[in-house]
Amino acid sequence: MQDTLLLGPEGVKKTILHGGKGDIPKFITGAKVTFHFRTLLCDDERTVIDDSKVAGTPMEIVIGNMFKLDIWESLLSSMRIGEVAEFWCDTIHTGVYPLVSKSMRRIAEGKDPVDWHLHSCGMANMFAYHSLGYDDLDELMKEPKPLYFVLELLQVQQPSEYNRESWALSDEERLKVVPVLHGQGNKLYKQARYQDAAQKYKEAIICLKNVQTKEKSWEVPWMKLEKMANTLTLNYCQCLLRMEEFYEVIEHTSDIINQHPGVMKAFYLRGKAHVEVWNEAEARQDFSRVLDLDPGMKKAVKKELAVLNIWFKSHRQIVCYFFLF
């Protein structure tokens, strides 16, 4: 079947490659749509950019959930279950595709799709050029082009037909689930289940960061979310310390300190991490900053410095003994 149709949105053409079955499903807000996709350049070779079948996992989006590539909702809403269709989309619809593709590729590689420790809003990231980590996506970012999307609709589940994970929540629902995840993380931490606690904190941070990208940087709503995210990030770092992921602690606390140099707890946790990786000067500097920000931490800092002194005294003795031979 090769029917070429003009869809409602300007700059879109649809060609049905394989007809589906039944009526068009109800694509109501909250419905989860599962589909395969293939993205191609509009060149003579029809160069493939992404293919979910090659990645081995179909795509899932939730209708009305502010998916960055919103044109996909319109495309899918014209399809029947089992249908395969090719959509030509002009650049007015494809400008954000490199960002979406990056997230999907990171998921396929088993990585975190959201760089949640970066403290800048999503729109700023979009228009401030930096490498996405993939050469082909960098080219598309610098010079957006029309694209072909070949979609195969697999399933449409209504909101009551599936268990909604945090990524499938609306912004309002995300904000409601954050304190729940925070409390669960605290409880797991007290039980010494640090890996599980870290996962709860991380999920809460991602929820906040997704909401925060829709706010204007440094204004009151953004700052409120930032403060909540920083608190959770520091809890996450406490788990990382227990898990001996010291360099990651240094990375996340440094991100906070660079943006908010008055956060005492960030200096304290970074100082503890520096001790563990034998960065003596950096550790002492951080603990000194802790006392500047909160003199009430004198007892805790004194304890850490005592450990630091014993640690490095022993280290120097070992080094001297080694060179004797």
Side-chain angles (χ1 to χ4, degrees):
M1 187 179 294
Q2 290 285 338
D3 297 327
T4 300
L5 309 169
L6 293 175
L7 293 188
E10 181 183 355
V12 176
K13 294 179 183 180
K14 174 182 179 180
T15 302
I16 298 175
L17 304 180
H18 178 76
K21 57 185 178 181
D23 296 328
I24 293 179
K26 294 180 180 179
F27 292 86
I28 66 172
T29 298
K32 182 167 74 171
V33 184
T34 305
F35 60 100
H36 275 298
F37 73 94
R38 187 165 68 254
T39 305
L40 309 96
L41 292 177
C42 298
D43 56 11
D44 293 339
E45 295 77 22
R46 291 174 63 90
T47 303
V48 176
I49 302 173
D50 294 301
D51 190 331
S52 63
K53 289 187 176 180
V54 173
T57 305
M59 181 70 181
E60 294 179 347
I61 64 172
V62 175
I63 299 297
N65 202 31
M66 301 293 288
F67 182 63
K68 287 181 180 178
L69 195 65
D70 55 3
I71 190 61
W72 273 10
E73 288 192 14
S74 299
L75 306 184
L76 291 163
S77 297
S78 73
M79 300 178 68
R80 294 173 169 80
I81 301 297
E83 179 179 327
V84 180
E86 179 181 272
F87 298 88
W88 174 87
C89 294
D90 205 351
T91 52
I92 57 174
H93 303 298
T94 62
V96 298
Y97 183 78
L99 296 174
V100 176
S101 177
K102 174 189 174 182
S103 294
M104 294 187 294
R105 292 183 187 188
R106 287 175 66 88
I107 291 171
E109 294 166 3
K111 299 177 181 177
D112 188 343
V114 181
D115 293 326
W116 50 264
H117 62 278
L118 296 178
H119 292 267
S120 56
C121 76
M123 293 302 289
N125 283 340
M126 187 185 304
F127 293 108
Y129 175 72
H130 61 279
S131 176
L132 297 175
Y134 305 92
D135 291 342
D136 56 343
L137 299 183
D138 286 342
E139 286 298 317
L140 276 179
M141 196 71 176
K142 288 187 289 185
E143 186 179 349
K145 299 176 181 177
L147 297 172
Y148 286 117
F149 298 119
V150 179
L151 306 181
E152 178 183 355
L153 182 58
L154 302 176
Q155 186 180 40
V156 178
Q157 294 172 281
Q158 302 308 314
S160 61
E161 296 176 345
Y162 67 98
N163 294 323
R164 302 178 70 186
E165 300 175 35
S166 61
W167 67 267
L169 302 177
S170 66
D171 286 350
E172 183 179 356
E173 290 168 327
R174 286 190 178 109
L175 292 177
K176 287 181 179 179
V177 81
V178 165
V180 176
L181 292 168
H182 192 166
Q184 291 172 341
N186 290 349
K187 184 176 180 179
L188 290 165
Y189 184 88
K190 290 176 182 177
Q191 295 172 350
R193 295 170 57 184
Y194 305 120
Q195 182 76 48
D196 294 333
Q199 188 58 41
K200 293 295 183 182
Y201 294 138
K202 187 174 182 179
E203 190 174 351
I205 293 163
I206 291 173
C207 284
L208 287 172
K209 289 299 180 182
N210 280 326
V211 177
Q212 191 184 31
T213 58
K214 302 176 182 72
E215 302 291 350
K216 190 171 182 180
S217 295
W218 303 105
E219 292 194 350
V220 173
W222 188 93
M223 286 298 298
K224 183 178 179 180
L225 295 169
E226 180 81 348
K227 185 176 180 179
M228 294 168 64
N230 285 345
T231 298
L232 286 160
T233 301
L234 293 172
N235 287 2
Y236 177 72
C237 287
Q238 285 184 267
C239 295
L240 293 178
L241 278 174
R242 296 285 190 170
M243 295 156 58
E244 300 184 356
E245 299 290 348
F246 305 122
Y247 287 105
E248 192 174 349
V249 172
I250 293 171
E251 176 187 357
H252 292 309
T253 52
S254 295
D255 285 337
I256 293 176
I257 289 166
N258 289 338
Q259 293 290 327
H260 309 283
V263 180
M264 179 276 296
K265 189 175 178 180
F267 283 101
Y268 183 71
L269 294 179
R270 190 172 73 173
K272 289 173 70 71
H274 277 310
V275 170
E276 297 293 343
V277 295
W278 293 12
N279 293 337
E280 181 180 9
E282 291 85 349
R284 292 188 184 280
Q285 186 176 5
D286 279 344
F287 289 135
S288 175
R289 185 66 179 134
V290 168
L291 292 179
D292 291 340
L293 293 168
D294 186 358
M297 288 291 291
K298 184 175 181 179
K299 185 176 180 180
V301 169
K302 185 177 180 180
K303 181 179 177 181
E304 294 296 336
L305 289 175
V307 173
L308 183 68
N309 290 333
I310 293 171
W311 185 295
F312 283 101
K313 183 178 180 181
S314 300
H315 174 60
R316 291 188 187 99
Q317 288 175 344
I318 292 170
V319 172
C320 290
Y321 181 80
F322 176 79
F323 279 107
L324 286 175
F325 292 90

